[in-house]
Amino acid sequence: MRRSRGLTAALVLSLAGAGTGIGLVLMPQASAITAPVAFTADSLPTWQPNGIVWAMAEANGTVFAGGTFSAVRPPAGATGAEEEAVNFVALDAATGKPTACKLAFTVGEGTATVRALTVSNDKKTLYAGGYFGAVNGTPVSSLAAIDIESCTPKAAFHPGFPATVRALAATGDTLYAAGDFNSVEGQTRERFAAVDAGTGALKPFTANADEPGRAVAVTPDGKHVLLGGDFFTVNGTDSHALAVVDAATGKLAKTYDNIPWNSVVKSIATDETGFYTGNEGSGGGVFDGRIGLRLSDFGEKWRDRCLGATQWVLPYEGVLYSSSHAHDCSTELEYPDGRRRHLLAQPTDHEGAAPAPVDGFVRGPRKLGWFPDTNDGLGEGIGPRVMAVSEKDGKKFMWVGGEFTTVNGREQQSLTRFASTGDVGAPTTPVASADSVKPGEVQVRWRTSYDADDSKLTYRIYRNGSGTPIHTMTADSLEFERPQASWNDTTAKAGQSYTYRITATDAAGNTSALSAKASVTVPTSVQAYPNQVRADGAQLYWRYDDTVSPYVADSSDGGNTSGIQVNAPSLRQTPGAVTGSSTAMGFNGTSQKLHSDRRQTVGSSYSVETWFKTDTWRGGKLVGFGNNTTRTSSSHDKHIYMTNTGRLVFGVYNGSTQTISTGLFDTYNDNKWHHVVATQGPSGMALYVDGQLKGTLNVTTSANFAGYWHVGGDNLSGWPSRPTSRFFAGQLDETAVYGKVLTAAQVKNHFDLAKAPSDTVSKVTATEDTYVNQGAPSAANGASTSLAVRGSLAYETYLRFNLPAAPAGQVLKSAMLQVKTTTQSGAGTADTVSVVPVTGTWSGATTSYTSKPALGTTPLGTFAAIPDGSALHSAKLDTAAVSALLGGSHSLALTSTGTDALWLWSKESTAADAAPQLVLTFGPK
């Protein structure tokens, strides 16, 4: 937002491999080096002033920067000495180094400053405006013309501007100026004037404004001039902050009354797509964003109402680049009030039909994936203030100037630049997760990565350590919106364990590191509770089985609403609410919570469901909807919260607070798992606890705003029986949100299914392993990091396991042997490998081929041909035979009759997932 208003304050998817892709399209395709964005986000080494840059222009491969400074120095870490530069510097567009052109803008009293620069159409003259009395000693009066070739001021050009000139625009024969002045050459010209571009003689053009002019531009056809500033009238007619006038006379052609009184226009730019304003203001109801307007009738086509004092707009090749400190783009359904983002890009026009107006305005086009950033810096702490595009040697550059002191987190003051080629920044590493709730399918999920100059990234999924991706797809993400992407592996086999890792690659080929492994065991039968939640239409489903912070995976069918952990809640708390292997998440009741990372609206019909366990006497919010993320929401609705006494409340706001509470003695802070569901729709509100209806209310509406789901805490100000803490202390599990009203029968079914017996998985690692070699019959290989299997000359591998007994009331439903091939060339085999019981005795330390143990004759299972490349492989074992071995120590052998050797990692290896293991699935009898 503006600091001062004083007069002198200056998933589309591409599918490959097996399975089903799930994704969404968030925005038009964009990257740093492909249309529509034209520049990378990687800043280039650029000489830097010791003050503030207020103005820039470019001509013939040279960039001119003006402002308030006295010297320029090399970029951090570069060699070279500081050079004098009195409020002006000319730099080579390709190298970022000062040229031989030296100009000093000075004044007899006060502080000289250059506030505006523009270049004539023929690129021969540079015009400079500001507050100064001389250029290299040549007298001028706040406006000067510079011969670019000789780098000398034109002595004959010296129109008298008695106050600061803040903006300039040049046509073939006219130079337009905006600023603080009330007269030019002794004649009345209030805040706007025009002079002859060659001689400086004052022209008849008259567009008198009552307050300062800050921006001026000429339409592409040269017929009109666009005026911006603080003013409320032009030529005595009401028109606040923006006006269109005749280019020759200054006569009003279009006035505006829809810019708030406490906002001004700081920048105007135009091209063939329209004209655009950058705005700032102060106080309530301020407009700080950008407006796109038509050239045909000068009417508004869209308005971007992000808050954060827009200083400059620059349309270029269909993209509007802007500099600001945009900190709140809630009105644009983008990011809420929070940290500042100083450089943004968005299309100049909506793709396709524009969205419907909201509050009388058409929302601005979505932001594109271009997010270089600065800090606020010096002076007013605005950050970047001006932008210019230059070209040299076939390469284009976006130059940015202002009062910042860092760029992309590194020291760099007031000037920086970005090129059209040379993207070197890799995307962030994806955060992966995997879940399976039924045989034959694994849902591989990941939080999409962030790349500062590419919003469409390519993801490659690697299974079981393979070097070849099993699937490749693309998904969109932005710096502030990184939805979950997912892919269903439909080739996964029941009972087998799998690991998945993912990389992200940008349009330039820069690739992230591999994600951490996401591990999953495919069940042999449907997991009833999560499968039913998905079948009943959950649009968000957080199971809290996550192993990595800060990502919370969405297990809904096709879900893309991942969650973000705030202040590190405790992961994988056991036992969870659902019988089986599910885990819960723990919250401390003082600062920890989750929020969804995708801004959305909630329809008129919805259901909210979660499980909770607590013994708190301070209450807290379990689930709710709010308009912010890490900050406390100012708009908050659709809550389920606990009072200090342990009662539950479901509340909405429809002009007043409307709540349903459990009974006086229906309290749930007994440190046991409980199930709560809240619904609202055409039949009103309902609250269920542990499958039972606890209350209804004939209220069908609630607050309508865009926001985020919160779990574990958010604002509860103004709500009945407000607890001591807005944060919940306890455990939460299996949170789901539906875009419809769950029926009473569905709610009861969910509660019953959670307590029904379900499968459990036990992974048993080999306690001892070795192999024997017919070619070295007396050698024992117990300490080897690898194992081998071959028919001739024979290798045999032996594995010992301590098998658990079946859990009470359960039986073995499946058994798998999992091994991992080594990285050596040819580790795989074309032959079948059999898994047979060992009937004799052996020891890893002493057993050799000559003393090898006797083996059973009936295989328990087999590995088919195993390809080369280090990866996990599983063999399904005879369930009945393995059941007979439960509760004791038993050994298995790997044998072959072929001639192609198989090489495996042993338990002694340090490779990931190296140790052979049994995967045992137990379930109800």
Side-chain angles (χ1 to χ4, degrees):
M1 296 175 65
R2 189 175 176 227
R3 303 293 184 85
S4 172
R5 194 172 177 270
L7 295 183
T8 59
L11 274 183
V12 177
L13 306 177
S14 71
L15 307 179
T20 303
I22 302 172
L24 70 164
V25 179
L26 294 179
M27 66 215 71
Q29 180 174 352
S31 75
I33 52 175
T34 56
V37 177
F39 306 95
T40 79
D42 303 314
S43 59
L44 300 175
T46 306
W47 278 58
Q48 49 191 327
N50 62 354
I52 297 173
V53 171
W54 294 99
M56 285 199 296
E58 65 83 28
N60 311 317
T62 298
V63 172
F64 307 103
T68 310
F69 50 85
S70 60
V72 292
R73 64 189 186 278
T79 59
E82 183 176 270
E83 298 181 6
E84 184 180 59
V86 183
N87 303 315
F88 176 87
V89 64
L91 302 111
D92 185 283
T95 67
K97 297 178 180 179
T99 70
C101 179
K102 310 292 183 184
L103 297 172
F105 288 77
T106 57
V107 68
E109 294 183 4
T111 301
T113 183
V114 175
R115 290 299 181 106
L117 293 170
T118 195
V119 172
S120 62
N121 292 353
D122 61 9
K123 302 292 186 179
K124 293 182 178 180
T125 303
L126 171 69
Y127 298 100
Y131 178 71
F132 47 83
V135 181
N136 284 2
T138 299
V140 292
S141 182
S142 294
L143 182 63
I146 312 298
D147 178 75
I148 292 177
E149 183 177 6
S150 64
C151 187
T152 57
K154 296 182 177 182
F157 185 97
H158 52 76
F161 282 79
T164 302
V165 173
R166 297 184 179 277
L168 296 169
T171 65
D173 61 359
T174 304
L175 178 68
Y176 298 91
D180 299 348
F181 49 87
N182 288 315
S183 64
V184 178
E185 293 290 301
Q187 298 187 45
T188 299
R189 293 292 189 275
E190 296 176 345
R191 283 83 185 200
F192 295 97
V195 299
D196 186 279
T199 66
L202 184 65
K203 290 201 167 190
F205 174 92
T206 302
N208 291 331
D210 60 334
E211 291 198 34
R214 296 181 181 274
V216 62
V218 182
T219 56
D221 63 7
K223 295 180 179 180
H224 292 90
V225 177
L226 314 169
L227 311 179
D230 299 32
F231 53 82
F232 291 87
T233 64
V234 176
N235 290 338
T237 300
D238 290 345
S239 189
H240 175 50
L242 181 65
V244 181
V245 298
D246 182 85
T249 66
K251 181 180 178 180
L252 275 164
K254 176 74 173 179
T255 60
Y256 297 87
D257 61 3
N258 62 355
I259 296 175
W261 69 271
N262 54 354
S263 296
V264 304
V265 170
K266 294 295 295 290
S267 172
I268 300 178
T270 183
D271 67 1
E272 66 280 358
T273 67
F275 74 98
Y276 306 89
T277 70
N279 307 265
E280 76 168 16
S282 77
V286 67
F287 172 52
D288 263 355
R290 293 156 292 283
I291 305 176
L293 301 105
R294 296 180 295 273
L295 288 169
S296 57
D297 62 358
F298 308 122
E300 184 170 318
K301 54 184 180 178
W302 55 258
R303 181 174 295 209
D304 185 317
R305 291 182 289 166
C306 290
L307 293 174
T310 303
Q311 301 299 302
W312 199 260
V313 287
L314 195 166
Y316 183 74
E317 295 184 350
V319 174
L320 183 67
Y321 298 89
S322 59
S323 64
S324 66
H325 58 257
H327 57 84
D328 186 352
C329 287
S330 300
T331 58
E332 306 309 296
L333 300 185
E334 293 173 331
Y335 55 87
D337 197 7
R339 78 171 187 82
R340 296 178 170 192
R341 295 167 173 88
H342 296 86
L343 296 169
L344 298 173
Q346 60 196 128
T348 52
D349 291 287
H350 288 282
E351 286 201 350
V358 177
D359 299 329
F361 300 107
V362 174
R363 188 176 295 119
R366 292 273 298 174
K367 304 302 183 294
L368 297 169
W370 188 69
F371 293 100
D373 204 11
T374 73
N375 65 351
D376 290 346
L378 307 169
E380 293 183 66
I382 293 292
R385 287 189 174 272
V386 62
M387 310 173 81
V389 172
S390 64
E391 184 172 355
K392 187 172 184 181
D393 301 332
K395 184 182 290 189
K396 300 172 184 178
F397 301 89
M398 170 65 78
W399 283 74
V400 178
E403 53 197 27
F404 49 85
T405 57
T406 67
V407 177
N408 292 340
R410 298 181 179 179
E411 178 186 337
Q412 178 69 27
Q413 183 171 344
S414 299
L415 274 176
T416 190
R417 62 199 174 100
F418 308 93
S420 57
T421 62
D423 180 16
V424 297
T428 59
T429 302
V431 181
S433 176
D435 191 23
S436 181
V437 301
K438 58 185 178 182
E441 180 182 286
V442 172
Q443 187 186 31
V444 184
R445 304 84 52 93
W446 62 97
R447 188 185 187 205
T448 47
S449 298
Y450 161 58
D451 188 274
D453 44 30
D454 202 338
S455 60
K456 183 176 289 295
L457 301 175
T458 298
Y459 296 91
R460 293 177 174 84
I461 305 169
Y462 299 87
R463 187 173 75 175
N464 287 353
S466 173
T468 301
I470 189 174
H471 182 72
T472 300
M473 62 181 279
T474 60
D476 292 324
S477 57
L478 290 171
E479 187 266 352
F480 57 84
E481 188 169 79
R482 294 166 58 185
Q484 176 175 289
S486 60
W487 170 72
N488 286 345
D489 183 358
T490 55
T491 66
K493 297 179 180 179
Q496 292 199 26
S497 294
Y498 296 91
T499 62
Y500 299 88
R501 303 183 78 180
I502 303 170
T503 61
T505 303
D506 67 13
N510 302 304
T511 300
S512 73
L514 279 164
S515 70
K517 289 184 303 180
S519 301
V520 66
T521 298
V522 183
T524 57
S525 59
V526 172
Q527 294 183 353
Y529 182 87
N531 188 65
Q532 194 63 52
V533 170
R534 295 177 65 181
D536 283 343
Q539 297 174 338
L540 176 157
Y541 184 20
W542 295 342
R543 302 201 64 200
Y544 307 126
D545 296 331
D546 309 281
T547 60
V548 179
S549 296
Y551 167 64
V552 180
D554 180 3
S555 293
S556 64
D557 189 6
N560 54 37
T561 309
S562 54
I564 303 300
Q565 302 164 28
V566 178
N567 294 322
S570 300
L571 305 182
R572 302 192 65 78
Q573 303 291 289
T574 57
V578 176
T579 301
S581 59
S582 176
T583 62
M585 187 169 286
F587 298 82
N588 62 10
T590 59
S591 63
Q592 296 171 340
K593 65 175 184 176
L594 312 175
H595 65 82
S596 58
D597 68 350
R598 185 171 67 87
R599 193 176 187 88
Q600 63 185 102
T601 56
V602 180
S604 58
S605 294
Y606 61 91
S607 300
V608 181
E609 175 180 38
T610 197
W611 289 80
F612 66 95
K613 183 173 72 170
T614 185
D615 59 2
T616 184
W617 289 93
R618 289 167 47 83
K621 181 179 289 190
L622 279 67
V623 186
F625 193 71
N627 69 333
N628 216 307
T629 53
T630 56
R631 295 188 178 188
T632 302
S633 296
S634 57
S635 297
H636 40 100
D637 193 47
K638 305 169 183 65
H639 315 286
I640 302 173
Y641 60 93
M642 178 175 280
T643 69
N644 286 348
T645 60
R647 298 171 67 192
L648 294 178
V649 180
F650 168 39
V652 303
Y653 183 82
N654 68 346
S656 61
T657 56
Q658 307 288 339
T659 60
I660 303 172
S661 301
T662 58
L664 184 62
F665 300 106
D666 285 339
T667 57
Y668 300 95
N669 54 349
D670 55 4
N671 212 29
K672 297 179 181 178
W673 280 111
H674 294 284
H675 178 235
V676 59
V677 177
T679 69
Q680 187 179 27
S683 297
M685 299 166 60
L687 176 64
Y688 301 84
V689 182
D690 293 341
Q692 302 299 312
L693 180 64
K694 292 296 181 180
T696 61
L697 193 61
N698 187 24
V699 173
T700 60
T701 59
S702 61
N704 182 22
F705 60 90
Y708 307 83
W709 286 105
H710 291 252
V711 170
D714 197 16
N715 203 346
L716 284 172
S717 297
W719 289 86
S721 302
R722 178 185 174 186
T724 300
S725 175
R726 60 188 176 91
F727 291 98
F728 176 73
Q731 295 179 339
L732 292 164
D733 201 4
E734 306 290 331
T735 301
V737 177
Y738 306 78
K740 64 179 184 179
V741 173
L742 291 179
T743 67
Q746 288 174 314
V747 173
K748 182 63 164 59
N749 187 37
H750 288 193
F751 176 72
D752 292 340
L753 288 175
K755 299 307 178 184
S758 62
D759 293 352
T760 58
V761 177
S762 179
K763 296 182 179 181
V764 183
T765 300
T767 59
E768 191 173 12
D769 55 27
T770 192
Y771 78 98
V772 296
N773 179 2
Q774 186 179 12
S778 300
N781 299 295
S784 175
T785 59
S786 60
L787 306 167
V789 183
R790 186 173 60 194
S792 179
L793 291 170
Y795 296 136
E796 287 183 359
T797 283
Y798 311 122
L799 310 170
R800 195 185 316 278
F801 298 93
N802 292 330
L803 300 179
Q810 295 191 330
V811 296
L812 184 69
K813 300 182 72 173
S814 72
M816 311 287 295
L817 175 62
Q818 180 176 286
V819 297
K820 186 176 185 180
T821 46
T822 67
T823 54
Q824 73 181 62
S825 177
T829 180
D831 300 326
T832 297
V833 173
S834 296
V835 183
V836 298
V838 177
T839 57
T841 60
W842 63 278
S843 165
T846 61
T847 296
S848 65
Y849 187 82
T850 57
S851 61
K852 66 177 184 170
L855 307 180
T857 57
T858 303
L860 300 176
T862 59
F863 290 93
I866 293 176
D868 289 342
S870 183
L872 292 169
H873 299 277
S874 300
K876 186 174 182 179
L877 304 183
D878 184 289
T879 304
V882 176
S883 293
L885 305 178
L886 294 176
S889 178
H890 297 279
S891 299
L892 303 177
L894 302 182
T895 66
S896 173
T897 59
T899 59
D900 187 9
L902 171 67
W903 288 93
L904 310 170
W905 292 121
S906 74
K907 76 178 190 67
E908 285 77 20
S909 171
T910 59
D913 304 310
Q917 64 176 356
L918 288 173
V919 181
L920 307 176
T921 302
F922 299 96
K925 294 181 179 179

